[in-house]
Amino acid sequence: MARHDSRVGYGLPVALALALHVGVVVINVLEFPASEDEASSASVVKATLVSTETATDQAQRAEAARARAAERQAEEEAAAKSAAEEQQRQQAAQEAEAERQAQEAAEQKAAREAAEQARREAEADAKRRAEEAAAAEAQRQQEEQARQQAEAERKRQEEARRQAEAEAERKRQEEARRQAEAEAERKRQEEARRQAEAEAERKRQEEARRQAEAEAERKRQEEAAKRAAEAASSSLDSAIAGEEKAIANARQADQASNSFQNLVRSAVEQAWIVPSNLSSGVEALVRLTLLPTGELVKAQLAKSSGDATFDRSVLQAVERAAPFREMQDLPPAAQRRFRDFNLRFRPGDVR
């Protein structure tokens, strides 16, 4: 890159100097004929205009000629000086180029020597690194062998630990299974006991109910017999009054029955969560079985609605609303009526 720049820098001035010399030579060649023509012209003019030319005019022409000659001489001297300077510049450039080439050759020799030294040092370093790598590889192989042995021992211990844990887990699961089976058996027996107790309680309550009904029936019959006896011995007015009282009692019993049925329906409707998206016209008939105390014995579908969700919601509402303690306030005859009765449920009937 340095050589290229120096050639470009000196070549252009040399070309300019040569062009300048050529221009000066051309100008001189062209000027000389013009001078002769001018001289001829001047002679002609002198010949024809002698009477008008003065000595002053001749002196001015001579001075102009001398000035032109001096100017041409100055131009030639300047061109020679420029050529000399250009030659000196070219010689200096050649000397600089020679010096640069010598310096470049010295630098290349130094670079070759440095490269050779670097190569020898690199070979020595590579040999040293190879020896170190061989030693490191041997050390690595020893460490790898030791690591593999340690890993094999670790895996053996891990496998033994897993087997021990698996055996312990199997025993734990076996024990948990036995405990779960024992707990299930205990719960089954407990459930059987509760069911037996519930069945015994149901039978006891059923027996108590039958006895209460028998006692009530006996008292009713005694009361009826007593009323019959009193009626037989009383007057016609007493018989009429007794009949009116019986009718009033019957009406009162009917009113109490209707009130209790409405009360049961209202309680069930309050506990009823009616499902959404029901088909139109759906209804279910539920059969209720109660104890004299108003407790629910069972609730079952006497007639299904055809919608399992709707049927289930009705039965759950009956179970949530029970017991119906108001049944204890009913007369015995009304109680017998509501021991087993039906209720009809329609979504539109909920108030």
Side-chain angles (χ1 to χ4, degrees):
M1 181 64 69
R3 287 197 304 272
H4 179 72
D5 293 341
S6 63
R7 284 197 299 271
V8 172
Y10 289 111
L12 182 61
V14 171
L16 293 175
L18 292 175
L20 179 62
H21 282 79
V22 172
V24 170
V25 171
V26 171
I27 291 172
N28 289 330
V29 172
L30 295 176
E31 284 291 331
F32 291 141
S35 299
E36 294 176 357
D37 293 339
E38 290 178 356
S40 299
S41 299
S43 299
V44 174
V45 172
K46 286 179 181 181
T48 57
L49 297 176
V50 172
S51 61
T52 60
E53 183 180 12
T54 63
T56 302
D57 295 332
Q58 294 177 358
Q60 290 177 349
R61 287 196 298 273
E63 183 65 24
R66 286 194 297 273
R68 287 194 297 272
E71 183 178 354
R72 284 194 298 271
Q73 184 177 0
E75 289 177 353
E76 291 175 355
E77 290 177 355
K81 184 178 180 180
S82 176
E85 291 176 353
E86 179 63 25
Q87 184 177 3
Q88 290 177 357
R89 283 196 297 272
Q90 290 179 357
Q91 184 177 357
Q94 291 175 357
E95 291 175 354
E97 177 66 17
E99 184 180 356
R100 186 191 62 75
Q101 290 178 357
Q103 183 178 0
E104 183 175 339
E107 290 176 353
Q108 290 178 355
K109 181 179 179 181
R112 286 194 299 273
E113 292 176 352
E116 180 64 20
Q117 181 66 23
R119 184 187 63 77
R120 288 194 296 269
E121 292 177 354
E123 289 178 353
D125 187 60
K127 182 178 180 181
R128 179 182 56 78
R129 284 198 299 269
E131 292 174 353
E132 292 177 353
E137 178 63 20
Q139 179 67 21
R140 188 192 65 78
Q141 290 179 358
Q142 292 177 358
E143 292 176 354
E144 179 66 18
Q145 185 177 2
R147 186 190 65 78
Q148 290 176 356
Q149 292 176 354
E151 180 67 16
E153 179 63 18
R154 186 190 65 78
K155 288 182 178 179
R156 186 188 63 77
Q157 293 178 358
E158 180 68 17
E159 182 63 24
R161 183 185 63 79
R162 281 199 298 269
Q163 291 178 359
E165 289 179 352
E167 180 64 19
E169 179 65 16
R170 186 188 64 77
K171 291 181 179 180
R172 187 189 64 78
Q173 291 179 357
E174 181 67 20
E175 181 63 23
R177 184 184 62 78
R178 285 197 297 269
Q179 291 179 0
E181 290 177 353
E183 180 66 16
E185 180 64 19
R186 185 189 65 77
K187 289 182 178 180
R188 186 187 62 77
Q189 293 177 357
E190 180 68 20
E191 182 64 23
R193 183 183 62 78
R194 282 199 299 269
Q195 290 179 358
E197 290 177 354
E199 182 65 18
E201 178 65 18
R202 187 188 64 77
K203 290 181 179 180
R204 186 187 64 76
Q205 291 178 357
E206 183 68 19
E207 182 63 24
R209 181 185 63 79
R210 283 196 297 268
Q211 291 178 1
E213 290 179 352
E215 180 66 20
E217 182 64 20
R218 184 185 63 78
K219 289 181 179 181
R220 188 187 63 76
Q221 290 177 359
E222 289 179 353
E223 184 67 24
K226 183 178 180 181
R227 286 199 303 271
E230 289 176 353
S233 60
S234 63
S235 60
L236 180 60
D237 293 337
S238 297
I240 294 172
E243 185 65 23
E244 289 177 352
K245 184 177 181 180
I247 293 172
N249 290 336
R251 289 177 178 174
Q252 185 178 3
D254 289 339
Q255 292 176 356
S257 299
N258 293 332
S259 177
F260 177 76
Q261 186 171 358
N262 292 333
L263 185 147
V264 171
R265 179 181 295 278
S266 176
V268 173
E269 288 176 353
Q270 290 178 4
W272 188 14
I273 301 175
V274 181
S276 59
N277 300 325
L278 295 174
S279 58
S280 60
V282 64
E283 66 176 23
L285 187 65
V286 181
R287 186 177 184 84
L288 285 74
T289 303
L290 305 178
L291 295 176
T293 58
E295 295 177 353
L296 178 66
V297 176
K298 64 179 177 180
Q300 59 185 2
L301 289 171
K303 181 181 178 182
S304 173
S305 65
D307 189 329
T309 302
F310 180 81
D311 295 342
R312 186 166 54 254
S313 70
V314 172
L315 295 175
Q316 291 174 351
V318 173
E319 293 173 356
R320 282 194 292 266
F324 310 100
R325 302 294 184 187
E326 293 80 359
M327 186 174 180
Q328 300 176 8
D329 300 330
L330 296 176
Q335 288 184 0
R336 286 193 299 273
R337 176 182 174 185
F338 287 104
R339 290 295 305 279
D340 195 357
F341 67 104
N342 294 335
L343 279 179
R344 189 177 302 277
F345 291 91
R346 302 182 182 91
D349 295 338
V350 179
R351 294 184 292 275

